Amino acid sequence: MTSTESISSKGSRLLVAEDDPLVRKTIVSTARSRGFVVAGEVATGLDAVTQALALRPDAILMDIEMPGLDGLEATRRIQLQRPTPTVIVTAHDSPAILRDVADCGAGAFVLKPPDAAELAGGIAIAMARHSELIQTRQRVSRNELLVREMHHRVASQMSATSALLHLQTRHVRNAHARTILLESENRLRALARIHARLQPVSDQTHIFLGATLSALSRDLISGLRPDLDFREVVMGDVRVPPDMVVHCALLTHELIMNCLRHAFSSGARGLIQFSLVPAHGGHLCLSVKDNGSGLRKGFSLDQSGSLGLMIVSTLARDLKGRFSITPRKPGTECVFIFNPNDQEPP
């Protein structure tokens, strides 16, 4: 017996799905000659799905061409509902068949009529691959739990630190120092909100950027200035890695806070609009626009001295993007252009 065959122990329970009675009888006889137990025999794909769920076999031998539901679709449904090692038994060996076998979730295939060694080897391979798949899924699940726990702990620690800063601020008499502490507190709260929002989607390698940033902007404005109008424009939303989401979220937070501090500092009502739309050459254009008081006379981004804008410029450089502030009538528009594929901007 080969090492591959030894993976599949004698006594494993099989479900045989084959519409031709003579071929099915041959397969059943061959399987039994190798010590397998045939738990069920079916002649249609739909019955194969039903019996796979009812009998819970150790492996399935599946024909492709069957009445109604074919073997490939039956295998696909079985793998979704109760993943089971499956061997496709077919009379064809074209490249297209091989692709179909892999796509439906089967672990191996053998040609009709299979001899005893081929059948046992196919079952062993399917069972081994199934075992590897289960182990991989378990590792992924553990990693997802770790990442989710990491986001939870980061959010908790930042919330706690923010609370400590808030307490400290109450005992600071110097107005300038108090302002610095308040701004630090707000930034830590922003980071906590970002990680809290990422926690439910921590199992995803890529996250919708526009929807995430829109929600964060909406929450920030509704929490601090619910009297302001908020609009969002997100076209062709893209999925990006979590670290890029964090960078863009911090950048967006600073731009929104800049509007709240300066554009509507007097308490006047107005509009803040967030947008994320495609730009030239596969780039994205992220903008925050307001109809507030506008830029002060002689404003220069390079000489502004604003910590918030310094943070924005640093984040823009980290993402290899281009940031600019443009006066409008009325208001101001802040624009950040970058490539989500991390290429140099035009």
Side-chain angles (χ1 to χ4, degrees):
M1 181 180 294
T2 66
S3 59
T4 303
E5 286 184 53
S6 65
I7 298 173
S8 177
S9 61
K10 291 182 179 181
S12 295
R13 300 169 62 253
L14 306 181
L15 172 64
V16 179
E18 168 62 62
D19 64 325
D20 188 312
L22 293 177
V23 176
R24 186 168 67 249
K25 182 178 180 180
T26 300
I27 294 174
V28 168
S29 176
T30 303
R32 285 173 174 163
S33 73
R34 299 295 296 198
F36 295 103
V37 176
V38 178
E41 304 177 34
V42 295
T44 68
L46 189 57
D47 286 342
V49 176
T50 301
Q51 290 303 303
L53 300 178
L55 298 176
R56 304 175 70 85
D58 299 313
I60 301 171
L61 302 178
M62 181 79 72
D63 183 24
I64 291 182
E65 297 178 0
M66 288 188 290
L69 195 69
D70 67 35
L72 297 174
E73 180 59 28
T75 299
R76 190 173 290 109
R77 295 188 184 184
I78 291 169
Q79 302 310 318
L80 287 173
Q81 298 180 62
R82 183 185 179 272
T84 305
T86 301
V87 179
I88 298 296
V89 184
T90 177
H92 309 285
D93 62 350
S94 67
I97 291 293
L98 294 177
R99 287 194 299 271
D100 291 340
V101 169
D103 290 342
C104 74
F109 85 101
V110 295
L111 294 175
K112 293 181 180 179
D115 62 29
E118 291 172 343
L119 191 65
I123 294 172
I125 291 172
M127 295 182 77
R129 289 182 174 173
H130 178 76
S131 178
E132 292 173 356
L133 177 63
I134 295 300
Q135 292 175 15
T136 299
R137 288 177 176 174
Q138 290 174 344
R139 286 195 296 270
V140 170
S141 179
R142 287 195 295 269
N143 288 339
E144 289 172 357
L145 288 174
L146 289 173
V147 172
R148 191 174 291 112
E149 177 65 17
M150 178 198 71
H151 283 300
H152 174 70
R153 291 191 179 187
V154 169
S156 297
Q157 290 293 331
M158 287 185 175
S159 294
T161 305
S162 176
L164 289 174
L165 278 176
H166 181 74
L167 291 174
Q168 184 66 43
T169 303
R170 296 168 59 182
H171 299 283
V172 175
R173 297 184 180 276
N174 182 278
H176 180 65
R178 189 184 302 113
T179 299
I180 293 174
L181 286 174
L182 285 172
E183 289 183 350
S184 299
E185 177 189 340
N186 286 332
R187 290 185 177 101
L188 280 171
R189 284 182 178 176
L191 279 169
R193 283 195 295 268
I194 293 167
H195 282 279
R197 188 168 290 276
L198 290 177
Q199 185 179 344
V201 294
S202 60
D203 59 333
Q204 301 178 20
T205 57
H206 287 69
I207 301 167
F208 281 112
L209 181 62
T212 303
L213 299 184
S214 292
L216 287 168
S217 301
R218 192 184 311 111
D219 291 347
L220 185 60
I221 294 171
S222 63
L224 296 177
R225 286 292 303 272
D227 57 312
L228 294 176
D229 294 326
F230 174 70
R231 295 179 189 171
E232 53 192 303
V233 178
V234 176
M235 298 175 57
D237 202 355
V238 297
R239 293 166 65 95
V240 301
D243 57 342
M244 185 174 289
V245 174
V246 173
H247 274 68
C248 290
L250 287 172
L251 186 147
T252 302
H253 171 268
E254 291 297 334
L255 295 181
I256 295 292
M257 289 301 298
N258 193 60
C259 290
L260 299 180
R261 291 191 195 101
H262 304 294
F264 305 106
S265 58
S266 62
R269 299 187 61 178
L271 167 71
I272 295 178
Q273 177 176 294
F274 167 84
S275 70
L276 184 71
V277 298
H280 176 72
H283 288 68
L284 293 177
C285 178
L286 185 160
S287 74
V288 173
K289 181 166 51 176
D290 66 74
N291 61 355
S293 58
L295 297 173
R296 67 176 185 273
K297 186 176 181 180
F299 172 83
S300 170
L301 178 59
D302 295 333
Q303 300 176 2
S304 68
S306 165
L307 177 59
L309 292 180
M310 289 173 61
I311 292 174
V312 169
S313 298
T314 300
L315 292 169
R317 285 196 300 271
D318 289 345
L319 292 171
K320 300 180 181 179
R322 186 176 63 209
F323 174 70
S324 61
I325 298 181
T326 306
R328 299 295 182 189
K329 293 184 179 180
T332 306
E333 182 175 17
C334 299
V335 175
F336 173 54
I337 298 176
F338 68 107
N339 192 321
N341 297 318
D342 202 28
Q343 299 177 7
E344 292 292 338

